[in-house]
Amino acid sequence: MKSEKFKELLAANPENELFRFSLGQSLMDEGNPNEALPLFEKCQQKKPDWMMASILKAKCQIALERMEEARVELNQALKLAIEQEHEAPEAEIRKLLAAISQN
């Protein structure tokens, strides 16, 4: 499993936020949003304008059926995407917001 590799890297380098982010991504890919969520939260604590951490945090919340939290997170991510002029993530966020508004 890819997450095992990143767990080892993070254990050896606990302040490395890229390893933390990659571990969260791997856990999401492996279907473990509950484990991934606190990793993205910690990434955001270190770097509040990290848009991709915000998007993946929202995806964890969606997977955990925490739609209101996901909506708040996605709106924050949308603000960051617009400010940072990232068009593809902005489009993805808008699709996610539309999808959860139907729930």
Side-chain angles (χ1 to χ4, degrees):
M1 286 184 163
K2 198 173 181 181
S3 64
E4 292 303 317
K5 173 186 163 195
F6 287 112
K7 283 180 184 176
E8 291 172 14
L9 289 169
L10 186 59
N13 302 284
E15 296 304 313
N16 188 311
E17 295 310 311
L18 288 176
F19 291 156
R20 186 177 319 283
F21 179 83
S22 295
L23 175 56
Q25 263 187 317
S26 297
L27 288 167
M28 278 295 291
D29 291 345
E30 294 166 7
N32 296 310
N34 210 34
E35 286 183 65
L37 183 61
L39 296 167
F40 296 126
E41 289 171 340
K42 186 143 186 176
C43 287
Q44 285 182 302
Q45 289 169 2
K46 295 276 188 168
K47 191 172 182 205
D49 65 343
W50 196 344
M51 178 197 54
M52 290 307 299
S54 190
I55 293 170
L56 290 174
K57 179 181 171 185
K59 287 182 176 183
C60 288
Q61 292 165 329
I62 291 167
L64 296 168
E65 298 181 5
R66 294 162 52 178
M67 298 307 172
E68 189 52 41
E69 292 173 59
R71 188 174 291 108
V72 170
E73 194 65 40
L74 287 169
N75 281 312
Q76 177 61 28
L78 181 59
K79 180 180 173 203
L80 292 171
I82 292 168
E83 287 173 359
Q84 297 170 13
E85 299 180 2
H86 292 296
E87 293 175 8
E90 179 184 346
E92 179 184 5
I93 295 164
R94 290 186 188 282
K95 284 180 186 174
L96 288 168
L97 280 167
I100 65 172
S101 70
Q102 295 175 2
N103 290 336

